[in-house]
Amino acid sequence: MFLANVSLFDFRNYAELELTLERSATVFFGGNAQGKTNLLEAVALSALTRSPRTQQAAELVRFGQPAARVTCGVQSDAGLKELEVRISVSPAAPSRASRRFTLNGIAKRSTDMMGSLRVVLFWPDDLQLVKGPGEGRRRFLNTLLSQVDPDHARELTRYGHLLEQRNALLRAIREGRQPIDGLDYWTTALAESGAAIMVERQRRLLELQPIAAAFHRELSDDRERLELRYRPAGVRIGEAPLELVSEQLKLAMRDARDEEIGRGQTAVGPQRDDIEVWLDEHEARLFASQGQQRSAVLSLKLAELHYLAEVTGEQPVLLLDDVMSELDPARRERLLAALQPGPQALITAADLNDLPKSILERATVFRVEQGAIHA
Ligand code: ATP
Ligand code: MG
């Protein structure tokens, strides 16, 4: 699939923008704080329904304005689709905002937008993917799985709501506002939804693992073996069927009941999972050098790109925000190789010298300046 056009209205520092894109690579360059990341953020928002850099939709609306709009025209095997996101700041509470979505002019729920535009975003924050906390790796997996299968996005949303309700009940029980009897119902519902997510994570990681390992083998000149190890919180999955995982989760919650009530928080489940990255029998988070970690991150990102294309049968759109300058020439070359013949790529750089000639020769180049884009 490819992004044919983007239009922005009062999004971040863009008052108004109409942009037509080529099918191949497009480079956006410009000084700091001009709007390069904001543009890729708008595309990611359309694809994923949330900004990858903030939970607060109100931040996306141009300062002092009541609402923002992002429209993307996407050409895919299914024809041309128009995705629109509107964000309106609540007049009563300016830090809050609502999001509304339409697909070809028809109102949709956020989870029904998933899959219409698939993206792989690679930006400087991702360099923490291996070294940083588990949350980043869970987000990596959630984003990938939701784009591969919108049902997974729906299950994640459902789980999130159930978890919120159960945690609220745990706090109410702690404060004596609710009896403990009601807890079982939420425990069962949460365990069923959580087990579905965990079994899917396990299955998909097993498929992703050899792809990431192959990229890493190549990046390390055949010296290192990368492994992804799923660490589900509170259960052992192995070959266990869904019902058994759900049963294990329920039991784990019952065992932790007093602790859960004391903290007002659910102790086990996919929100606590981790996906460990290992290099040659050592956990990369703890033992890998900076260079090894960068290679591992790049392997994960290339695997994401490859896996999405393989499972859906369509190339996603690659969003590269300022990462070329962070990579050494060998890793840069490997990333570029993935672009040929490959996916449409939107690439930002503060300095054109950070980009290899081979990309500049075949890319359309735009200059970004104060929320405007010039040819
Ligand atoms: P860098 O090279 O430093 O990464 P950039 O071009 O990627 O720069 P962006 O992150 O896109 O820069 O941000 C550009 C500007 O957008 C910043 O100066 C920021 O203050 C401004 N900005 C962020 N949110 C809003 C908003 N809601 N309204 C108006 N301007 C905003
Ligand atoms: Mg930026």
Side-chain angles (χ1 to χ4, degrees):
M1 58 176 52
F2 80 100
L3 193 58
N5 54 70
V6 182
S7 121
L8 305 180
F9 186 77
D10 283 343
F11 180 87
R12 293 278 194 191
N13 69 334
Y14 290 90
E16 218 173 335
L17 174 77
E18 294 288 340
L19 188 63
T20 306
L21 291 161
E22 297 292 325
R23 200 174 186 133
S24 61
T26 308
V27 167
F28 300 92
F29 80 100
N32 296 134
Q34 300 303 307
K36 302 182 297 295
T37 300
N38 292 347
L39 176 66
L40 297 199
E41 181 184 30
V43 176
L45 168 75
S46 300
L48 307 172
T49 74
R50 285 181 185 283
S51 159
R53 65 168 166 184
T54 177
Q55 304 261 27
Q56 309 303 325
E59 289 173 16
L60 304 173
V61 179
R62 197 157 74 94
F63 297 146
Q65 301 305 312
R69 175 175 61 68
V70 178
T71 314
C72 288
V74 181
Q75 185 72 53
S76 74
D77 292 348
L80 185 68
K81 284 185 185 171
E82 191 186 76
L83 285 67
E84 192 163 280
V85 187
R86 283 172 189 268
I87 296 165
S88 309
V89 177
S90 151
S95 65
R96 299 182 65 93
S98 64
R99 296 170 304 152
R100 276 185 299 131
F101 303 92
T102 60
L103 185 58
N104 292 337
I106 298 166
K108 295 279 177 190
R109 283 182 304 187
S110 65
T111 45
D112 294 330
M113 298 296 284
M114 296 296 294
S116 293
L117 168 62
R118 294 186 209 95
V119 297
V120 170
L121 169 65
F122 189 9
W123 63 341
D125 278 18
D126 287 322
L127 296 169
Q128 294 300 311
L129 197 55
V130 169
K131 197 185 172 66
E135 192 197 343
R137 288 180 293 280
R138 281 195 296 275
R139 201 178 320 124
F140 167 78
L141 201 59
N142 288 349
T143 304
L144 174 57
L145 268 54
S146 298
Q147 293 197 93
V148 164
D149 176 9
D151 279 345
H152 193 76
R154 283 185 265 277
E155 195 64 63
L156 284 170
T157 304
R158 201 170 98 80
Y159 185 83
H161 289 151
L162 290 167
L163 183 64
E164 238 172 69
Q165 308 244 34
R166 188 171 185 272
N167 286 345
L169 179 60
L170 287 169
R171 288 191 295 275
I173 294 169
R174 181 183 64 196
E175 287 151 22
R177 289 185 280 115
Q178 289 283 339
I180 205 163
D181 318 8
L183 193 58
D184 270 357
Y185 169 83
W186 293 102
T187 302
T188 302
L190 195 67
E192 280 169 8
S193 173
I197 291 166
M198 288 165 134
V199 166
E200 188 68 357
R201 282 182 177 174
Q202 158 101 348
R203 183 172 82 82
R204 296 287 186 185
L205 267 177
L206 283 176
E207 292 177 351
L208 194 65
Q209 148 72 31
I211 304 171
F215 280 120
H216 193 83
R217 204 179 309 124
E218 191 191 322
L219 281 168
S220 66
D221 287 328
D222 224 358
R223 281 196 294 265
E224 292 166 8
R225 208 169 63 86
L226 177 143
E227 213 187 314
L228 301 175
R229 297 189 184 173
Y230 181 37
R231 298 280 186 237
V235 299
R236 285 171 178 279
I237 297 185
E239 304 275 297
L242 190 61
E243 303 75 54
L244 219 67
V245 177
S246 160
E247 216 36 59
Q248 286 183 58
L249 262 183
K250 248 190 274 180
L251 289 176
M253 281 188 247
R254 280 190 196 134
D255 284 348
R257 198 173 75 173
D258 292 346
E259 180 204 327
E260 286 190 324
I261 293 171
R263 292 184 181 205
Q265 236 177 37
T266 301
V268 295
Q271 77 282 9
R272 293 279 178 97
D273 284 355
D274 202 350
I275 300 107
E276 293 172 357
V277 182
W278 288 61
L279 291 179
D280 293 332
E281 301 303 315
H282 300 289
E283 196 184 345
R285 183 172 62 88
L286 305 173
F287 296 107
S289 73
Q290 188 152 314
Q292 284 176 313
Q293 286 179 3
R294 286 191 172 210
S295 290
V297 168
L298 185 53
S299 303
L300 285 176
K301 283 282 138 184
L302 290 169
E304 180 183 13
L305 185 66
H306 185 97
Y307 187 73
L308 259 180
E310 191 177 274
V311 176
T312 65
E314 274 185 306
Q315 290 280 5
V317 176
L318 184 58
L319 308 174
L320 292 179
D321 188 29
D322 219 5
V323 283
M324 288 297 185
S325 62
E326 303 276 348
L327 298 174
D328 61 46
R331 294 190 185 95
R332 221 180 264 184
E333 279 312 315
R334 188 60 198 85
L335 183 54
L336 284 178
L339 300 183
Q340 258 155 345
Q344 183 190 32
L346 310 190
I347 304 168
T348 74
D351 187 340
L352 283 181
N353 293 321
D354 289 337
L355 297 176
K357 281 218 168 53
S358 59
I359 228 352
L360 290 172
E361 277 162 7
R362 60 196 175 84
T364 311
V365 178
F366 289 117
R367 186 166 52 83
V368 183
E369 199 181 337
Q370 292 187 9
I373 293 185
H374 308 280

